[in-house]
């Protein structure tokens, strides 16, 4: 089955999958999909070992592995998984998020993702440095896909895929995500409990985050060559000449129309004078 990266998502057998990474594609194919009727259950490693997806133990189809090797590879896998979401932070206020990213350095594109809290487990906020200041962008999961600032992210359904999607410039996202601020030991799965004051503050911040969409970057000014300047000057002169000719033609037409109108009015006046002349003779 041919897998091809088409823009921001992978296609399999020319069918769109909504997955931005191979990892998320494999995760999707573990369950039955409209374009994939047989769920994936296991994979074969280079050494011939068959490993069930989601299982720690493996069934040997070639030479067996020792317990020490299994333990070492399991540890590496765990570290790799933790590192892949090292940009994910626990819930915090907007002010705390800005302090964290400022302390790490205001480098364009630097970012991290924070959870919103227990009441909104599928909502996140992306904090990213844009034009030398921290900006905050509400990321919400609706209908099994994520939206950033109410804009769809290529149909992805995992927050990790959202991050990968935004590593490139998008119509609504002018600054690609770059380096991230590490969360250190990782994010606790136990959500923090906000006080009523913090919940009120979070609602206010949410409104600001929705309005905090970065504008499109200004187009850089390109210095013109002497040839381009000369060409543009000739075009300007030619345009002015044509406009002058057009105006002269319009003035000529108006003058002729005015002259004809004056001649017609004079003729009407002469006829009226003849009719009013008491000494006129009828022949």
């Amino acid at each position: 089955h041919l897998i091809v990266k088409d823009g921001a998502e992978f296609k399999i057998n020319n069918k769109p999958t909504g997955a931005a990474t191979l990892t998320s594609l494999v995760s999707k194919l573990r369950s039955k999909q409209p374009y994939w009727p047989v769920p994936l259950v296991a994979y074969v490693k280079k050494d011939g070992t068959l490993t069930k997806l989601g299982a720690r133990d493996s069934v040997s189809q070639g030479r067996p592995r020792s317990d020490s090797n299994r333990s070492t590879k399991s540890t590496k896998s765990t570290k790799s998984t933790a590192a892949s979401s090292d940009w994910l932070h626990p819930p915090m206020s907007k002010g705390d998020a800005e302090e964290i990213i400022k302390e790490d350095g205001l480098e364009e594109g630097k970012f991290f993702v924070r959870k919103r809290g227990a009441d909104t487990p599928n909502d996140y906020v992306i904090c990213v440095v844009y034009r030398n200041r921290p900006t905050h962008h509400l990321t919400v999961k609706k209908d099994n896909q994520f939206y950033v600032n109410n804009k769809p992210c290529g149909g992805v359904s995992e927050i990790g895929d959202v991050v990968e999607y935004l590593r490139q410039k998008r119509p609504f996202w002018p600054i690609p995500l770059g380096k991230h601020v590490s969360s250190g030991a990782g994010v606790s799965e136990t959500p923090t409990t906000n006080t009523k004051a913090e919940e009120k503050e979070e609602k206010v911040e949410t409104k600001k985050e929705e309005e905090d969409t970065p504008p499109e970057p200004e187009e850089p000014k390109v210095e013109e060559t002497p040839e381009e300047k000369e060409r543009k000057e000739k075009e300007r002169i030619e345009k002015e000449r044509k406009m002058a000719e057009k105006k002269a033609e319009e003035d000529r037409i108006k003058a002729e129309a005015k002259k004809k109108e004056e001649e017609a009015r004079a003729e009407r006046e002469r006829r009226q004078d003849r009719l009013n002349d008491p000494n006129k003779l009828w022949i």
Side-chain angles (χ1 to χ4, degrees):
H1 306 278
L2 183 63
I3 300 174
V4 179
K5 187 72 176 290
D6 184 11
E9 67 173 339
F10 279 98
K11 286 186 175 181
I12 186 165
N13 298 330
N14 208 28
K15 302 289 184 181
T17 64
T21 63
L22 284 174
T23 303
S24 61
L25 176 59
V26 171
S27 179
K28 281 178 173 289
L29 298 183
R30 291 178 62 184
S31 59
K32 188 176 180 180
Q33 304 290 339
Y35 53 84
W36 192 259
V38 182
L40 301 180
V41 295
Y43 65 96
V44 181
K45 293 188 175 182
K46 290 182 179 180
D47 61 0
T49 302
L50 180 65
T51 304
K52 292 182 179 179
L53 286 169
R56 294 182 180 178
D57 298 328
S58 60
V59 180
S60 175
Q61 297 295 318
R63 61 178 184 275
R65 294 186 299 165
S66 65
D67 291 339
S68 60
N69 288 339
R70 185 182 298 115
S71 175
T72 302
K73 293 198 175 184
S74 177
T75 303
K76 287 181 180 179
S77 176
T78 303
K79 287 182 179 179
S80 176
T81 303
S84 64
S85 61
D86 195 33
W87 37 257
L88 185 59
H89 290 237
M92 67 183 74
S93 67
K94 183 177 180 180
D96 290 341
E98 291 190 355
E99 286 298 321
I100 288 176
I101 204 163
K102 284 179 180 178
E103 288 178 2
D104 203 74
L106 294 176
E107 180 182 341
E108 286 292 289
K110 182 175 286 187
F111 78 100
F112 71 88
V113 181
R114 58 184 169 99
K115 293 185 175 182
R116 287 194 63 199
D119 295 336
T120 52
N122 290 326
D123 293 359
Y124 301 84
V125 178
I126 300 175
C127 181
V128 59
V129 178
Y130 180 67
R131 291 185 176 175
N132 204 37
R133 70 180 183 90
T135 59
H136 306 266
H137 310 278
L138 187 62
T139 306
V140 180
K141 191 174 185 180
K142 296 184 294 186
D143 300 327
N144 202 35
Q145 64 174 314
F146 274 100
Y147 294 78
V148 175
N149 299 329
N150 291 322
K151 303 291 185 181
C153 293
V156 301
S157 59
E158 301 294 335
I159 187 62
D161 294 336
V162 174
V163 171
E164 293 303 316
Y165 183 79
L166 297 181
R167 289 194 185 277
Q168 299 180 26
K169 184 177 178 181
R170 304 293 176 183
F172 65 93
W173 193 263
I175 180 71
L177 298 182
K179 297 179 181 178
H180 68 269
V181 180
S182 173
S183 61
V187 179
S188 172
E189 293 300 324
T190 304
T192 58
T193 304
N194 295 336
T195 62
K196 290 184 178 180
E198 289 173 337
E199 289 176 356
K200 185 177 180 181
E201 180 185 1
E202 183 69 21
K203 290 180 180 179
V204 175
E205 289 173 358
T206 298
K207 186 176 180 180
K208 291 181 179 178
E209 287 155 0
E210 290 174 342
E211 299 172 352
D212 205 9
T213 307
E216 286 292 335
E218 297 177 356
E219 292 294 331
K221 294 182 179 179
V222 180
E223 186 177 354
E224 296 178 348
T225 62
E227 291 78 9
E228 289 176 338
K229 288 181 179 179
E230 183 180 359
R231 177 181 57 79
K232 288 188 176 181
E233 181 64 17
K234 288 181 179 179
E235 289 177 353
R236 183 188 65 79
I237 294 173
E238 180 65 16
K239 185 177 181 181
E240 290 179 354
R241 184 186 66 79
K242 289 182 178 180
M243 289 179 65
E245 289 180 351
K246 183 179 180 181
K247 187 176 184 305
E249 180 66 15
E250 290 174 351
D251 292 343
R252 184 186 66 78
I253 293 173
K254 288 180 180 179
E256 289 182 354
K258 185 178 180 181
K259 182 180 179 181
K260 289 180 179 179
E261 179 63 26
E262 290 176 351
E263 290 175 350
R265 185 172 63 251
E267 180 64 23
R268 287 195 299 270
E269 289 176 355
R270 283 195 299 270
R271 289 180 180 180
Q272 188 62 40
D273 290 341
R274 292 194 193 101
L275 291 173
N276 294 336
D277 186 0
N279 298 319
K280 61 181 179 292
L281 295 175
W282 292 100
I283 298 176

